[in-house]
Amino acid sequence: TNIFVNNNNNNNNFGGSSSYQYRPFVPSGDKSRERLRRKLMIKILSTQKKFTQLQQQQKALNGCDCTYNNGDTGNPYNPEKIVDTNTYRTADEESESSSTKFPSSSSSLDDDDDTSVFFEKYIWATGGHSAAAGHGNLFNESYTAFMERDVKDIFGSIGIDFQARNHAMGGTGSAAEIAMCWEEIFGTDVDMFSWDYYMTDAGQPHRLLHYAYRGAISKGRPAFMGIRINLARGEQDKMVKFLTDLGISIFIQDMALLSEMEKAIP
């Protein structure tokens, strides 16, 4: 979660008491960051568990992986010569039939013959209007697509498949239709989702509460990121605090820093 940290930044944390400084998103309350860290740690531990299970399966299939002085690996049998494929499979066959394989550091994510396989997945889901959807630009140049490309290798290096799903739709608000059909639109396996409806929801701040709550109680119990939320409008600051107190991990964009970033663009 250090992607949120910048120790050289002197802005105040939103509702937090941590000595860390964050940009451009700040955690709501003093527990959001630890909640997100815990969720990521569970993913990593699950990956390690599945990796260990795969090692044990391969050892049972191929025998001892040790090498003796005479060069003998100690394998009691050659899996390539096994006839009963219903009982035993070669390592290649095991890999092809399973969703858990060793990630290949030499392969590229863009290669058609990519052999990288993952033990877990981390799902990001973008919700928003036309700006979030990338209208007026190529879909693969939306910020969701850029984020996926930027962090996919980082997650992949520890066996986690990072997927960024852009479900933003032009001219839509976050509630009531989107909120009530949240799982049907975004899925049940989301780990973190965003709200980027600042134009369409500007006059109806209660939509934020509805949308964030419905998403947070979905099966994956995802963390929430609010993009371009005006906390001073319609008591949205109280809504965010209410959701945080319910146990949701929430990160809110620092609007002052966003303004600085936009002004710095040539």
Side-chain angles (χ1 to χ4, degrees):
T1 55
N2 287 336
I3 58 174
F4 299 110
V5 177
N6 183 344
N7 290 321
N8 295 322
N9 181 34
N10 294 320
N11 64 293
N12 295 323
N13 293 328
F14 170 75
S17 59
S18 171
S19 60
Y20 287 101
Q21 303 298 328
Y22 301 79
R23 69 179 305 176
F25 291 87
V26 294
S28 172
D30 56 0
K31 296 181 180 179
S32 286
R33 185 170 181 266
E34 290 307 314
R35 289 167 181 164
L36 179 60
R37 182 195 295 273
R38 180 178 180 273
K39 186 174 181 64
L40 288 171
M41 285 300 299
I42 291 174
K43 289 282 184 180
I44 294 171
L45 291 172
S46 176
T47 298
Q48 293 174 336
K49 178 181 178 181
K50 293 177 181 179
F51 178 79
T52 301
Q53 291 173 340
L54 179 59
Q55 282 186 317
Q56 293 172 345
Q57 292 171 3
Q58 290 187 332
K59 184 175 181 180
L61 177 66
N62 298 324
C64 176
D65 58 1
C66 52
T67 301
Y68 298 100
N69 293 333
N70 61 1
D72 184 5
T73 60
N75 291 340
Y77 52 79
N78 186 344
E80 295 180 355
K81 296 181 180 180
I82 294 176
V83 176
D84 184 4
T85 57
N86 291 323
T87 304
Y88 299 103
R89 287 175 290 185
T90 65
D92 289 339
E93 292 170 336
E94 184 72 26
S95 296
E96 292 175 359
S97 64
S98 173
S99 61
T100 57
K101 293 187 291 188
F102 294 101
S104 172
S105 59
S106 61
S107 61
S108 169
L109 291 170
D110 296 326
D111 292 343
D112 292 335
D113 58 347
D114 176 32
T115 57
S116 298
V117 179
F118 309 94
F119 301 91
E120 269 292 348
K121 61 182 178 180
Y122 193 91
I123 306 298
W124 164 280
T126 296
H129 48 56
S130 56
H135 289 192
N137 200 352
L138 298 175
F139 184 77
N140 63 0
E141 291 185 355
S142 63
Y143 65 72
T144 304
F146 265 99
M147 179 180 64
E148 182 181 67
R149 289 195 294 270
D150 285 344
V151 305
K152 197 171 185 69
D153 283 348
I154 298 174
F155 278 80
S157 66
I158 55 174
I160 299 177
D161 182 21
F162 182 90
Q163 300 176 19
R165 302 172 181 170
N166 193 341
H167 294 285
M169 295 177 281
T172 60
S174 63
E177 294 83 1
I178 300 295
M180 291 303 296
C181 300
W182 198 96
E183 286 192 344
E184 287 73 19
I185 295 172
F186 296 94
T188 59
D189 56 352
V190 176
D191 294 292
M192 194 166 193
F193 68 108
S194 67
W195 179 99
D196 193 355
Y197 296 91
Y198 70 101
M199 287 191 294
T200 51
D201 284 4
Q204 304 184 68
H206 60 278
R207 288 181 175 180
L208 168 66
L209 178 65
H210 192 186
Y211 172 87
Y213 180 80
R214 290 286 298 177
I217 64 172
S218 64
K219 185 177 180 180
R221 296 295 189 268
F224 173 75
M225 181 173 285
I227 301 174
R228 287 175 278 214
I229 291 180
N230 186 346
L231 294 173
R233 177 184 290 144
E235 298 187 330
Q236 287 188 326
D237 55 341
K238 294 182 180 180
M239 297 179 190
V240 170
K241 184 180 184 305
F242 172 75
L243 293 169
T244 303
D245 291 343
L246 289 179
I248 305 171
S249 177
I250 297 179
F251 293 82
I252 303 296
Q253 188 170 34
D254 188 310
M255 296 302 292
L257 282 174
L258 175 63
S259 177
E260 290 181 18
M261 294 164 59
E262 291 177 339
K263 292 178 181 178
I265 298 175

